[in-house]
Amino acid sequence: MDGELMRGTRWAQWAMAPWRGLWMWMLWMPGLVLLVALNSALSLATLGVGLLLLTPLLTVVRSLTDVYRKEINKWTDTRIERPYLPEPEPEPGLTGQARRLWAQVSDPATWRDLLWLVADPVVGLFTAALPGTLILYGVWGWMLAGGMADVIAVHGGQDWYGFVQIGGSRAVDGSVEAATAVLGTVFVVIGFLTGPKLLNVYGRWGRVLLGPTEASRLKLRVRHLTETRSDAVDTSAAELRRIERDLHDGAQARLVAMGMSLGAIEHLLDKDPEKARTLLAEARESSATALRELRDLVRGIHPPVLADRGLADAVRALALDLPLKVETDIELAGRPEPPVESAAYFAVSEILTNAVKHSGAHRVWLEMRHDGGMLRVTITDDGRGGASPENGSGLRGIERRLGTFDGVLALSSPVGGPTIVTMELPCTLT
């Protein structure tokens, strides 16, 4: 069954590639309109009106090249990231529209977008659009063989199909029709056979101009690391405040009360032994409660089961403690690095807690795999759906926690369910 599916997918790819290439090539038409509009805006720049038009026009250019990137990512083997740099620090005297325009024109990706709009109609014609054009030309050959050649000859016209003369001084006979039919078939076959390969060539061409350069990639990386470092610092500070609050309100208060009780017991041992015995029992109970709270606090920082038995068993133990049915499918050949392991565990814990508190689910399915240097966790519940990072469910905190390790979180939660949360963390297993 899998072989049939793969063959079907391959045939569909061969069949659709020429038309996908034609579609992407035809995007040069709105690109041409944008280039004309930009040229007009530059002509009016001396009047001041053109400058007001440049920012929205360049924004539309980015939107159009985003369409190119999306289609290339979707239909080719090439993956193109968005290359635009973060907005630079405001220049003195620049505000509002002028600052946005400066941010756009100072970004090399903007000029690469414009170069793409100029060059793509020619390059795309001989790469992405060529297979579809060959197929259409082949269909025209079939039409000539089916009677169009006679129509051309009757009206005294003359044309060439490849190296075959149609009409003119040469009468249309069976050999002409056969030749156009054979040539048309050859063009159609070549078009379908070259479609996926030329589409991938077009994708690599797109990466040259539409993708980030090494310099811009480094700048984007620095920006990402700066944001994740800030998130990590904020998370650590919030965790430290939580620990201090829990110690102050819990174990510390009980230990202080226990110390006062022991002081009172010391004075009552000779005067009122029964009262002293009662206070000793209360002190013993307070010490047990303080110890339990300290254990809970330590478990919240780094659960002992996670340290002793690893992520897989810790997640299974977490699932067993939930008040709903959780089916786990976990396959890990080792353990991630301790910081990644901890981040993954608490992310899973937060998502399962959300499922219990907010989803109204009866069952949860949890799958965990490590493949290609990536730890992937997928959690699905049969609840009411409607989860969103903006509704205060803690998903933003999970994103920040995972972002510290270059991890990502994807959420699919339509109203009515189901909710599917997928997490990916780059890591190695030991």
Side-chain angles (χ1 to χ4, degrees), residues 30 32 60 85 99-100 108 113 122 142 158 163 174 192 204 248 250 278 280 299-300 323 332 336 345 353 390 406:
L32 178 61
V60 176
L85 298 177
R99 187 175 69 181
R100 291 186 60 198
D113 285 350
V122 177
W142 292 343
Q158 181 178 342
F163 55 81
F192 279 115
R204 290 191 286 273
H248 182 271
T278 301
L280 275 174
R299 191 176 296 111
L332 295 180
Y345 174 84
T353 301
E390 285 77 27
D406 284 344

Side-chain angles (χ1 to χ4, degrees), residues 389-410:
E390 285 77 27
N391 64 7
S393 61
L395 293 173
R396 282 293 186 201
I398 297 174
E399 285 183 323
R400 290 194 295 269
R401 184 189 291 270
L402 298 181
T404 305
F405 303 94
D406 284 344
V408 295
L409 180 143

Side-chain angles (χ1 to χ4, degrees), residues 228-241 397 400-401 404:
T228 55
R229 182 189 66 181
S230 176
D231 289 338
V233 171
D234 293 342
T235 301
S236 298
E239 188 70 10
L240 180 60
R241 288 193 298 269
R400 290 194 295 269
R401 184 189 291 270
T404 305

Side-chain angles (χ1 to χ4, degrees), residues 220-284:
L220 291 171
R221 179 65 177 163
V222 168
R223 178 192 183 192
H224 174 71
L225 291 176
T226 301
E227 292 175 349
T228 55
R229 182 189 66 181
S230 176
D231 289 338
V233 171
D234 293 342
T235 301
S236 298
E239 188 70 10
L240 180 60
R241 288 193 298 269
R242 182 187 69 81
I243 294 171
E244 291 175 343
R245 184 178 63 253
D246 290 347
L247 283 173
H248 182 271
D249 297 340
Q252 178 180 334
R254 294 187 184 280
L255 290 174
V256 170
M258 190 170 64
M260 296 175 63
S261 296
L262 290 175
I265 292 168
E266 186 178 2
H267 290 88
L268 291 174
L269 280 175
D270 297 328
K271 299 179 182 178
D272 192 348
E274 289 298 324
K275 181 67 173 176
R277 190 177 293 108
T278 301
L279 290 177
L280 275 174
E282 293 177 356
R284 184 170 59 250

Side-chain angles (χ1 to χ4, degrees), residues 62 82-90 99-100 102-104 106-109 215-224 226-227:
R62 290 189 175 188
R82 211 166 183 265
Y84 305 113
L85 298 177
E87 189 170 312
E89 294 295 325
R99 187 175 69 181
R100 291 186 60 198
W102 170 250
Q104 290 173 331
S106 62
D107 189 343
S216 62
R217 186 178 283 110
L218 288 174
K219 290 181 180 179
L220 291 171
R221 179 65 177 163
V222 168
R223 178 192 183 192
H224 174 71
T226 301
E227 292 175 349

